[in-house]
């Protein structure tokens, strides 16, 4: 029986009456209509009379089309049956495979407990309605206006827009799938109308709340209440109910226990939106709303089948699939998918073994509490294809559920300096006195030197250990990770250009802290380990950018899902990429370079260390022509999750990227490249633009007008200190500090490539007296490279080397 019949109302009827033909005029009034027996001529219609035939045709056409539409609609209602509830309640497992087809793990156990509506607190019911369908009790199955608005917004390119009622969502959850297709949407409409005619609003709302996916494997509001708050659905208060309603929008992204900083803020914003909606609809008083605070959310309890690295791999692959629009989280959670990753099982095992041997075997949290704060993350990428071949997310997914390989909350430090170099060379940047910047450009390496050339409060970053190095080439500043020189380089290049280059190389534009401020070259931004692997892969690939990916195929019941194309973009010129790579080789090959430990790989290698403010994170991102690997160590309090210093971890005073990260990198790369031919990097076209140059002598006071020609003083009389990476001895300083390095005889040092500036023959062994900035600003522009002057404002530097 139709709903109209149930209510006693009759459906509107439409009938088409015959349209009478207009009589032809016999002629003017009172006349015979003509003369001479000729056939009377039809009078010419003017004005509105000409439209009468058109109106007649339009009315006939409209009526016919309306009848046809009603007929087809009725036929659709009759033919489309409400199917049995599909396996949302009996979700299958997903199978996750390595690149060779071997099994990583299987997931998909459904956590569900259906409850009747009277077992769900009114506050939680109202929160769901406020979030998804505030007019639920006063509307039919379909919101025509909402659908039209969604269709228009989607057509405008504003992304897939929601327009479904709770009835439609219940139908989709219970009887259909999440696939975005016209066929599925049409079925949804017809089934929703039938369901609305045969089930009460209470039954529909109950069904919706029991079939919705809330993340953490929880289907239904009862399972969600237990997963997030440890209570039954009947005990949910307004704050808790509003949070569960928030999760309906984006379950994993809004899980505040694991979300990024941006995700947490979005979750809070959505939570406020839900509560405000409850007030607007009269379901919550303004007084109660004012007293409501964000609820405490329990930490997730991962599936034991996701222990070890398996959970991190599944988590990263899920992020890739959902963020790329391949499949949404709800549909994936229903199971039945076979997902093959790009992860090479041999390299994955090698990465895990390297972290264990180089880091965890040297830690003893029972004796040294500081050792408990160390969290490692790593990612290895094929630069030619963008495939992620190995990923390390943490010690164990069931114990530490935050993926250290994809998290974006720790600063990148000096690994960002490679981006600053690329920006300078790609944009043909010039010093303050107008000379093109090259690896041989001389900068003032005085710690705390005020950056010149900008506006506002001068920015004066310290070097690690507050060491000063006088006049040094850009190549040396790279090898030794000198902050003051790179702060000036970024200002000379243009802060916005540095940011734009980072995005072009592969950083997400939304990366937290990625702002065009003076601290940008020192790594104040917080990209993930995987993000930085992608950036360096672009450098390794001749400037061709390919966003890292880790899913090869997705199959469900014999149907392959379309995956995003791996687009290649020429982010920077090949020569720029090769020039930066040439400079980053010095970080490894220079005996005083901060990444000298990576030289033990025994292959041509380039890379950059990073040590952040307060040593909360330390990095080494390095590469050979065949493979790029990014390794980082994060300091995180195991109890509170707060970021803390890594100093003291492993019994080492201080922490640096040249220590544990470089050791892990070297160990892994040896295993990952074992048996492969040794190849060299491409030589930059034309070599260094200014030719090789020896190191200048460190003056007693900074010079604002050094010679415009390359200094010719022998290296032995050059600056007497280089920033150390803290790795010359197990208890060394940090990336940018100064320690004593073993002297390497000239005969055993690898000869510098002719395309790279001359480097020191050995690491300096003593510390110079810091030079001071002049007490007054110069009255004219400096004339030499070391005097590149600027001033700027911005966030405090996130890097100490």
């Amino acid at each position: 029986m139709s709903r109209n019949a149930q209510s006693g109302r009759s459906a509107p009827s439409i009938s088409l009456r015959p349209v009478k033909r207009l009589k032809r005029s016999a002629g003017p009034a009172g006349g015979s209509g003509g003369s001479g027996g000729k056939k009377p001529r039809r009078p010419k219609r003017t004005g509105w009379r000409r439209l009468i035939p058109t109106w007649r045709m339009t009315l006939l056409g409209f009526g016919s089309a309306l009848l046809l539409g009603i007929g087809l609609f009725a036929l659709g209602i009759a033919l489309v049956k409400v199917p049995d509830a599909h396996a949302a309640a009996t979700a299958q497992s997903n199978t996750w495979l390595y690149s060779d087809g071997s099994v990583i793990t299987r997931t998909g156990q459904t956590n569900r407990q259906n409850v009747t509506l009277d077992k769900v607190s009114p506050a939680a019911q109202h929160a769901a309605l406020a979030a998804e369908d505030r007019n639920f009790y006063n509307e039919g199955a379909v919101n025509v206006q909402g659908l039209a608005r969604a269709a228009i917004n989607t057509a405008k390119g504003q992304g897939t827009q929601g327009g479904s009622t709770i009835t439609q969502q219940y139908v989709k959850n219970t009887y259909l799938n999440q696939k975005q297709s016209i066929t599925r949407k049409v079925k949804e409409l017809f089934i929703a109308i039938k369901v609305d005619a045969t089930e009460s609003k209470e039954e529909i709302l109950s069904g919706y709340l029991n079939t919705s996916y809330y993340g953490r494997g929880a289907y239904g509001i009862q399972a969600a209440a237990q997963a997030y708050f440890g209570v039954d659905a009947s005990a949910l208060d307004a704050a808790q109910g509003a949070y569960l309603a928030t999760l309906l929008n984006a379950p994993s992204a809004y899980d505040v226990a694991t979300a990024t900083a941006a995700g947490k803020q979005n979750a809070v914003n959505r939570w406020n939106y839900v509560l405000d909606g409850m007030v607007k609809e009269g379901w919550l008083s303004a007084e109660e709303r004012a007293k409501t605070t964000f609820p405490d959310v329990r930490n997730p309890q991962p599936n034991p089948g996701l222990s070890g690295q398996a959970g991190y791999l599944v988590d990263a692959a899920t992020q890739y699939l959902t963020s790329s629009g391949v499949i949404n989280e709800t549909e994936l959670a229903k199971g039945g998918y076979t997902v093959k990753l790009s992860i090479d099982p041999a390299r994955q095992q090698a990465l895990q073994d390297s972290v264990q041997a180089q880091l965890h075997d040297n830690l003893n949290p029972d004796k040294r509490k500081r050792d408990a704060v160390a969290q490692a993350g790593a990612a290895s990428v094929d630069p030619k294809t963008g495939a992620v071949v190995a990923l390390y997310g943490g010690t164990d997914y069931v114990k530490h559920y935050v993926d250290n390989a994809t998290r974006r909350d720790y600063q990148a430090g000096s690994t960002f300096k490679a981006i600053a170099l690329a920006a300078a060379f790609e944009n043909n940047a010039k010093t303050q006195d107008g000379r093109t910047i090259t690896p041989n450009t001389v900068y003032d390496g005085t710690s705390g030197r005020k950056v010149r050339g900008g506006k506002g409060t001068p920015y004066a970053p310290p070097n690690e250990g507050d060491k000063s190095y006088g006049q040094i080439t850009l190549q040396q500043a790279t090898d030794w990770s000198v902050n003051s020189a790179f702060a000036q380089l970024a200002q000379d290049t243009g802060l916005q250009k540095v940011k734009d280059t980072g995005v072009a190389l592969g950083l997400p534009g939304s990366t937290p802290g990625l702002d065009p401020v003076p601290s940008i070259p020192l790594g104040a931004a917080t990209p993930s380990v995987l993000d930085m692997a992608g950036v360096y892969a672009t450098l390794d690939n001749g400037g061709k950018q390919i966003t890292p990916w880790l899913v090869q195929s997705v199959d469900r019941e014999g149907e392959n899902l379309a995956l995003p194309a791996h687009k290649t973009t020429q982010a920077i010129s090949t020569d720029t990429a090769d020039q930066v790579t040439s400079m980053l080789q010095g970080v490894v090959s220079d005996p005083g370079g901060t990444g000298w430990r990576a030289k033990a790989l025994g292959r041509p290698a380039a890379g950059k260390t990073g040590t952040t403010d307060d040593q909360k994170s330390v990095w080494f991102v390095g590469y050979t022509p065949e493979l790029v690997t990014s390794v980082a160590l994060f300091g995180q309090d195991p109890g509170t999750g707060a970021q803390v210093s890594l100093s003291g971890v492993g019994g080492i005073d201080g922490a640096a990227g040249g220590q544990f990260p470089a050791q892990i990198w070297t160990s892994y790369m040896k295993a990952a490249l074992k048996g492969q031919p040794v190849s060299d990097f491409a030589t930059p076209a034309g070599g260094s633009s200014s030719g090789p140059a020896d190191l200048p002598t460190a003056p007693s006071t900074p010079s604002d007008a050094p010679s415009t020609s390359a200094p010719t003083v022998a290296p032995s009389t050059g600056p007497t200190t280089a920033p150390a990476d803290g790795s010359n001895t197990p208890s060394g300083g940090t990336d940018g500090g100064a320690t004593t390095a073993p002297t390497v005889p000239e005969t055993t040092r690898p000869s510098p490539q002719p395309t790279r500036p001359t480097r020191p023959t050995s690491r300096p062994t003593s510390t110079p007296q810091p030079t001071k900035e002049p007490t007054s600003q110069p009255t004219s522009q400096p004339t030499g490279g070391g005097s590149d002057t600027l001033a700027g404002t911005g966030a405090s530097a996130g890097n100490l080397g």
Side-chain angles (χ1 to χ4, degrees), residues 132-426:
E132 299 296 319
D133 190 356
R134 298 178 185 180
N135 200 37
F136 171 69
Y137 281 103
N138 300 313
E139 68 186 0
V142 178
N143 183 340
V144 178
Q145 287 183 331
L147 289 177
R149 182 176 59 255
I152 293 172
N153 290 338
T154 300
K156 289 180 178 179
Q158 297 177 8
T160 303
Q161 303 288 317
S164 299
T165 63
I166 277 183
T167 304
Q168 289 173 265
Q169 294 181 57
Y170 164 56
V171 166
K172 180 173 61 177
N173 291 343
T174 308
Y175 305 110
L176 302 171
N177 56 45
Q178 307 288 328
K179 186 176 181 181
Q180 294 290 338
S181 68
I182 295 177
T183 301
R184 198 272 294 161
K185 198 67 179 177
V186 170
K187 286 184 178 180
E188 175 189 304
L189 292 176
F190 286 132
I191 295 174
I193 292 172
K194 279 196 168 184
V195 167
D196 186 59
T198 57
E199 296 184 23
S200 69
K201 289 289 188 180
E202 289 72 20
E203 289 173 326
I204 293 172
L205 179 58
S206 176
Y208 170 72
L209 293 174
N210 281 314
T211 57
S212 292
Y213 183 63
Y214 291 85
R216 299 190 181 183
Y219 277 95
I221 195 166
Q222 172 64 16
Q226 288 290 341
Y228 290 93
F229 302 113
V231 302
D232 288 333
S234 60
L236 291 169
D237 60 27
Q240 295 168 331
Y243 178 69
L244 294 185
T246 293
L247 291 169
L248 294 170
N249 195 252
S252 290
Y254 289 172
D255 187 338
V256 294
T258 59
T260 63
K264 292 176 182 178
Q265 185 59 56
N266 290 336
V268 172
N269 293 343
R270 179 74 176 176
W271 178 80
N272 281 316
Y273 165 81
V274 173
L275 289 174
D276 291 343
M278 294 174 69
V279 173
K280 184 177 180 180
E281 297 298 323
W283 297 324
L284 183 69
S285 70
E287 293 76 15
E288 291 174 319
R289 168 70 177 93
K291 293 184 293 185
T292 302
T293 59
F294 198 85
D296 292 328
V297 177
R298 302 176 75 188
N299 288 332
Q301 303 298 316
N303 186 326
L306 297 177
S307 62
Q309 295 303 302
Y312 299 120
L313 296 177
V314 169
D315 182 64
T318 298
Q319 286 186 40
Y320 176 79
L321 291 171
T322 55
S323 64
S324 301
V326 175
I327 186 173
N328 67 45
E329 190 177 352
T330 301
E331 187 66 15
L332 184 62
K334 291 177 181 176
Y337 293 90
T338 298
V339 184
K340 179 183 284 189
L341 308 188
S342 58
I343 301 296
D344 179 338
R347 287 177 168 173
Q348 179 66 27
Q349 188 62 51
L351 184 56
Q352 295 171 210
D353 291 345
S354 295
V355 175
Q356 182 65 40
Q358 299 301 320
L359 175 64
H360 293 298
D361 286 352
N362 295 303
L363 303 182
N364 191 338
D366 293 333
K367 292 184 178 180
R368 289 188 302 265
K369 291 183 179 181
R370 175 58 55 181
D371 287 2
V373 309
Q375 290 291 337
S380 190
V381 175
D382 181 338
K384 299 297 187 293
T385 65
V388 180
V389 298
L391 201 72
Y392 185 89
T395 52
D396 189 335
Y397 186 73
V398 301
K399 298 177 182 178
H400 176 77
Y401 44 82
V402 177
D403 191 340
N404 294 330
T406 58
R407 66 190 304 170
R408 293 190 178 115
D409 56 349
Y410 280 83
Q411 294 178 329
S414 283
T415 59
F416 207 97
K417 288 175 181 172
I419 296 173
L421 291 173
F425 297 150
E426 183 69 8

Side-chain angles (χ1 to χ4, degrees), residues 22 43 172 260 467 556 574 745 792:
L22 296 176
K172 180 173 61 177
T260 63
K467 304 302 181 183
R556 190 175 194 273
T574 299

